[in-house]
Amino acid sequence: MDKKEEELLSMHYQMEKTDIKQQSLEDRLMSISEDLKKSKNIRNLYFVFIIILILLIAIGGFYWTQNNEVGQYSEDETKKIEQLQLLNDSLQKEVSKLKSNFLMNKNGISGVEDSTRVIKDSIEGKLKLDKRYCYINRAYTSNDVIFVEVDFIEYYYGKRAVKKAKEFGDAEYDLDKNGDTLYFLYKNYYINNQNPSTRILEIDDRAQVRIESINQISKGFPLKAFQKIITNKPVLILETNNGVVYKITEQKLP
């Protein structure tokens, strides 16, 4: 066998090895693709199962409370029934949210876990609310949910207001008879808004509104009245948890 034949055989051998490696790689890619499809299908099935389970719990709780009169139970049992009714309302609301999240493909399984935890905490009275001062630029509805565009601020009153205003160079000052500098504020309060960026928060449909000019008599959030109020940029206190507003109070200015 001459040298050219040996080179041709060697090249042919290398090509066969390359084909085998390529085929092995394609098989591996196909296997990975099938595994990913199976994993996605399992996740979707698990998610749908959780939604169905929550629905069954909500329906069962609803019919149980409907078929049992509250008046015939003791005080402790009455409280438990009231908690079940509150749980039923919360579950119905959360199921609606989960359906929207599932269709929008945003939150995945973690969204179910977070929503379930919030429901449990609210029923047991363990829901911790974060209280912050803010301006609200606008309030609007989207897919039957109310949202607000919030600009968080810092509000100080009295001596703390003077101290903070002094730190940022906004305090008034004068000299006393001894030549010492006295710092003060005419309004006796100070608002600091160093970061005017806004955030979008959701309003819970049972959120409490503590504003004098708004009478929250009917169920649901008084959106139209609230939209008129925020045009004057009042200082508001929001009590929130996990991006949801549960209480709004107007801060009275001196």
Side-chain angles (χ1 to χ4, degrees), residues 58 62 84-94 206:
F62 175 77
L84 285 173
Q85 290 174 334
L86 180 58
L87 175 61
N88 176 61
D89 295 339
S90 300
L91 286 172
Q92 289 179 349
K93 179 184 174 183
E94 293 303 322
R206 293 168 297 174

Side-chain angles (χ1 to χ4, degrees), residues 133 135 153 155-157 187-191 232-236 250-254:
Y133 295 93
Y135 297 125
I153 60 175
Y155 173 83
Y156 303 96
Y157 176 75
K187 296 181 178 180
N188 206 28
Y189 71 89
Y190 179 67
I191 294 174
N232 297 322
K233 292 291 182 181
V235 176
L236 300 175
E250 183 178 4
Q251 173 62 50
K252 296 297 182 182
L253 300 179

Side-chain angles (χ1 to χ4, degrees), residues 83-108:
Q83 288 180 346
L84 285 173
Q85 290 174 334
L86 180 58
L87 175 61
N88 176 61
D89 295 339
S90 300
L91 286 172
Q92 289 179 349
K93 179 184 174 183
E94 293 303 322
V95 167
S96 178
K97 290 181 182 178
L98 290 174
K99 286 181 179 178
S100 299
N101 291 337
F102 178 71
L103 293 174
M104 294 172 70
N105 195 22
K106 284 185 177 180
N107 293 332

